Amino acid sequence: MVASEVRALFAVASRPEIVSLAGGMPAVDALPLDAVASTVADLVTSRGPVALQYGSAQGDPELRARICDVMAMEGIADAHPDNVVVTVGSQQALDLLTRVFIDPGDVVLTEGPTYVTAINTFAAYQARVVHISMDNDGLVPDALRETLSRLAVEGARVKLLYTVPTFQNPAGITLTAPRRAEVLDICRRAGVLVVEDNPYGLLSFAGEPVRAMRADAPDDVVYLGSFSKTLAPGMRVGWALAPQPVAARLVLAAESAILSHSMFTQLAVERYLATQPWPEQIKAFREMYRDRRDAMLRTLAETMPPGTTWTRPEGGFFVWLTLPDGVDAKAMLPRAIAARVAYVPGTGFYADGSGRNAMRLSYCFPPPERIQDGVKRLADVLRAEILLRRTFVSHPATDFPRE
Amino acid sequence: MVASEVRALFAVASRPEIVSLAGGMPAVDALPLDAVASTVADLVTSRGPVALQYGSAQGDPELRARICDVMAMEGIADAHPDNVVVTVGSQQALDLLTRVFIDPGDVVLTEGPTYVTAINTFAAYQARVVHISMDNDGLVPDALRETLSRLAVEGARVKLLYTVPTFQNPAGITLTAPRRAEVLDICRRAGVLVVEDNPYGLLSFAGEPVRAMRADAPDDVVYLGSFSKTLAPGMRVGWALAPQPVAARLVLAAESAILSHSMFTQLAVERYLATQPWPEQIKAFREMYRDRRDAMLRTLAETMPPGTTWTRPEGGFFVWLTLPDGVDAKAMLPRAIAARVAYVPGTGFYADGSGRNAMRLSYCFPPPERIQDGVKRLADVLRAEILLRRTFVSHPATDFPRE
């Protein structure tokens, strides 16, 4: 699925009559808008000449200190503001890291499936993306070992492992604690830098944040964080926490890319963290997203035809749905749109064309009753699709014609 | 002068006892802060769920329409919002353009001297920067022709002419109207895309904005604009106006680089333009900067020793000062700092080590009486430097030892 197709999908999916289970937009309408409004107004009247001026390429020092406090909630006790680089969402951190580390042909390892825009960024720098398979416990260490051995034989330069270990986008899966240690150990021995992208870590439905991989490997992990899911993506405030030499190179790359980040949005986030009860707000988000996840899982269990399977996220925004053999999620999408429900077909989350019989379902944005309606519509479409296959296709499932 | 040196300079120059003629920071304290505060607060309360959400990679359509109105003031009558890409300052537009057009070894032509961070960006993509000389009428067309001929013989791939034709940074010079036509014609024949970077165009001391090069060459120019000098750099809202195929590639590059720009700052600028008397604010800025320019030019004329020359800007932020033969602006800087005045040595604005006996003086940020003090201190330092040379250096000026 190319970028223009994704944009066309989101344009269609934004129509009011369609239940969109496609986008990953957080529910910002749940924010205390009056409090945000007074925070930004106070910022301009009290510190306007600073908030409206140029800042440094590394980001505001006060915000970087508060970012360290946020990361402490995930077990990162030793983060220093000097090692934090504020970025335009964590997407920019990923772009700058790729710019700094990747030469054309270098290998980036990622989960399969993985975050779609990360694939685009790696492709923009002509990296070769190699997927590592996942199961319900996350990235499979044996698969990682085997892939590294194979790539070593090929003489490939493996530079990075890009992973979303917690409430993964798109699979909703979390890497278990023993596997985190194992993955870190494998990468350390192989000289592969781990990029831990963790936008959803604080949105744990169990209440306790998941311990970050970075907490146990300060020298081997670049941690990417974001306020897009815990506050507002419209601020575009994310960050990288990196070992000092990497952080220094990211700052130079950021300066070349954008000169400096918006002081206004940086200080707006800093003031929000300083003056608002944000841990309570995150708790409210967690409970809201848990209700939505519950609505999705319950309706999936009630409506989906046999042979359909799905993940059971403990946090974050996404469920990964695997369809019965031979059903093509991308081919089915126009019929789903006609039935007023949208999703993202699985192929978009792979660099190698995998994922045809899978899709990502988001429960972050629509309220529970809309999610319920959407999943029911999807189940109806899927049943019709299976029936159609049985009626018209005499080939065995593995020979099901593909476009 | 490497980036770390520039940062160290700005850190020193920000001390209160030092008159900084170094930075290019606009005087944002002259903005109506109460009006800005109420604009952003109203935005959050009335349109919070949109302003705090993700946006599109191209930028908000309403803002893009208003940007077309702004460009119309500079004679660009045919701009369409579809051809505008909103960027994180015009710096990001420059970065994305370089990413899209430049392969390692490609040539970018620029004025000599030119904007320092543009040099860094071109270097980041391994472009070869070739300077074209300027006189008081701007870029010299004959020099452009000769350079293109020479590069053609070498077989070099010349991709872009990067120019700040109006109130140039750092030289304060404006390309005359006949030369604009001539430069456009030369580049068109040579197949070189013109990148017109125009952050200062509306800050004309004569009152009438200078007609943009883009106004007369819609297919041959990518125009870069910015609200950093007419509103506030802390918003980081700039843009590119480009022919459709270029704009489409910039959007894809922007998506890969940052996913999307801040909707919050984009809509804050859009609401400011919609609800505030911004042409009057620009007029106030123009008059303030003109007073500061006057203070600088007057004090230069009163105090500078013979053999020193400088440009006379008709708008913008900068004067370019050329020192008597053999005086090295970078070597003199520590003594200037000790005398409580700072500037940027000329070498920073060249990719080839030129500019040793020159410096950029900014009059944008300090009030007139501080500018007067700063220039007087600089003249004292320079006189002492000249005396020191006469006393201790017996070599002829052309053999003056260089580091």
Side-chain angles (χ1 to χ4, degrees), chain B residues 171-306:
Chain B
I173 286 171
T174 297
L175 188 66
T176 61
R179 283 206 185 166
R180 286 179 187 230
E182 201 173 348
V183 166
L184 285 169
D185 184 61
I186 296 168
C187 287
R188 192 181 297 116
R189 287 167 196 271
V192 173
L193 185 67
V194 174
V195 180
E196 177 182 29
D197 190 1
N198 194 26
Y200 311 101
L202 295 180
L203 298 175
S204 159
F205 302 147
E208 279 302 296
V210 178
R211 186 174 174 84
M213 294 176 81
R214 164 60 180 76
D216 300 307
D219 298 330
D220 307 312
V221 175
V222 176
Y223 174 101
L224 310 187
S226 175
F227 290 105
S228 290
K229 278 76 184 186
T230 52
L231 173 51
M235 296 292 186
R236 308 307 294 124
V237 177
W239 70 89
L241 170 69
Q244 207 287 321
V246 176
R249 294 183 68 188
L250 291 178
V251 171
L252 290 177
E255 188 167 58
S256 170
I258 62 163
L259 204 55
S260 63
H261 196 309
S262 165
M263 279 297 277
F264 183 50
T265 57
Q266 285 185 79
L267 293 182
V269 171
E270 194 279 329
R271 286 292 86 196
Y272 176 85
L273 296 174
T275 64
Q276 301 299 318
W278 63 274
E280 281 69 50
Q281 181 56 44
I282 289 178
K283 183 161 178 283
F285 275 134
R286 275 202 305 260
E287 290 169 1
M288 189 184 63
Y289 293 131
R290 189 181 55 205
D291 288 348
R292 293 174 181 198
R293 188 259 336 235
D294 290 346
M296 180 168 279
L297 292 184
R298 194 174 54 240
T299 318
L300 284 168
E302 288 165 3
T303 61
M304 280 292 146

Side-chain angles (χ1 to χ4, degrees), chain A residues 19-38:
Chain A
V19 174
S20 178
L21 308 174
M25 297 191 299
V28 289
D29 49 354
L31 283 168
L33 293 182
D34 287 345
V36 175
S38 66

Side-chain angles (χ1 to χ4, degrees), chain B residues 52-112:
Chain B
L52 299 173
Q53 192 52 273
Y54 287 108
S56 82
Q58 183 161 9
D60 178 67
E62 289 171 275
L63 175 62
R64 286 189 274 121
R66 290 199 189 277
I67 284 171
C68 291
D69 297 340
V70 171
M71 290 189 291
M73 298 171 73
E74 296 167 343
I76 301 174
D78 63 336
H80 192 284
D82 286 355
N83 291 5
V84 174
V85 184
V86 182
T87 54
V88 182
S90 55
Q91 180 66 35
Q92 193 200 13
L94 190 60
D95 180 72
L96 298 178
L97 266 177
T98 311
R99 185 190 292 215
V100 163
F101 280 99
I102 297 298
D103 296 311
D106 286 352
V107 171
V108 178
L109 304 175
T110 74
E111 286 125 359

Side-chain angles (χ1 to χ4, degrees), chain B residues 99-219:
Chain B
R99 185 190 292 215
V100 163
F101 280 99
I102 297 298
D103 296 311
D106 286 352
V107 171
V108 178
L109 304 175
T110 74
E111 286 125 359
T114 189
Y115 171 52
V116 55
T117 313
I119 296 176
N120 293 345
T121 300
F122 300 139
Y125 292 92
Q126 300 171 57
R128 176 180 161 204
V129 173
V130 176
H131 293 294
I132 311 293
S133 59
M134 277 194 291
D135 60 22
N136 281 327
D137 290 338
L139 207 59
V140 178
D142 282 343
L144 177 58
R145 274 192 206 91
E146 282 159 24
T147 304
L148 281 167
S149 301
R150 179 169 55 80
L151 290 167
V153 170
E154 286 180 25
R157 292 184 309 268
V158 182
K159 292 279 184 75
L160 306 174
L161 167 68
Y162 170 77
T163 175
V164 187
T166 307
F167 318 134
Q168 202 234 13
N169 179 2
I173 286 171
T174 297
L175 188 66
T176 61
R179 283 206 185 166
R180 286 179 187 230
E182 201 173 348
V183 166
L184 285 169
D185 184 61
I186 296 168
C187 287
R188 192 181 297 116
R189 287 167 196 271
V192 173
L193 185 67
V194 174
V195 180
E196 177 182 29
D197 190 1
N198 194 26
Y200 311 101
L202 295 180
L203 298 175
S204 159
F205 302 147
E208 279 302 296
V210 178
R211 186 174 174 84
M213 294 176 81
R214 164 60 180 76
D216 300 307
D219 298 330

Side-chain angles (χ1 to χ4, degrees), chain A residues 58-60 63-64 66-67 70 84-93 199 224-240 261-270 273, chain B residues 52 54 234 258 260-265:
Chain A
Q58 182 161 10
D60 179 67
L63 175 62
R64 287 188 273 122
R66 290 200 189 276
I67 284 171
V70 171
V84 174
V85 184
V86 182
T87 54
V88 181
S90 55
Q91 180 66 33
Q92 195 201 11
L224 309 186
S226 175
F227 290 106
S228 290
K229 278 75 184 187
T230 51
L231 173 50
M235 297 291 187
R236 308 307 294 126
V237 177
W239 70 89
H261 197 310
S262 165
M263 278 297 277
F264 183 50
T265 56
Q266 286 184 79
L267 293 183
V269 171
E270 195 278 330
L273 296 174
Chain B
L52 299 173
Y54 287 108
I258 62 163
S260 63
H261 196 309
S262 165
M263 279 297 277
F264 183 50
T265 57

Side-chain angles (χ1 to χ4, degrees), chain A residues 222-305:
Chain A
V222 175
Y223 175 101
L224 309 186
S226 175
F227 290 106
S228 290
K229 278 75 184 187
T230 51
L231 173 50
M235 297 291 187
R236 308 307 294 126
V237 177
W239 70 89
L241 170 69
Q244 207 286 320
V246 176
R249 293 183 69 189
L250 291 177
V251 171
L252 289 177
E255 189 167 56
S256 171
I258 62 163
L259 205 55
S260 64
H261 197 310
S262 165
M263 278 297 277
F264 183 50
T265 56
Q266 286 184 79
L267 293 183
V269 171
E270 195 278 330
R271 287 291 85 197
Y272 176 86
L273 296 174
T275 64
Q276 302 298 319
W278 63 273
E280 281 68 54
Q281 180 57 43
I282 290 178
K283 184 162 178 283
F285 275 135
R286 274 202 306 260
E287 290 170 1
M288 189 185 64
Y289 292 131
R290 190 181 56 207
D291 288 348
R292 293 175 181 197
R293 187 250 350 226
D294 289 347
M296 180 168 279
L297 292 184
R298 193 175 54 241
T299 318
L300 285 168
E302 288 166 3
T303 62
M304 280 293 147

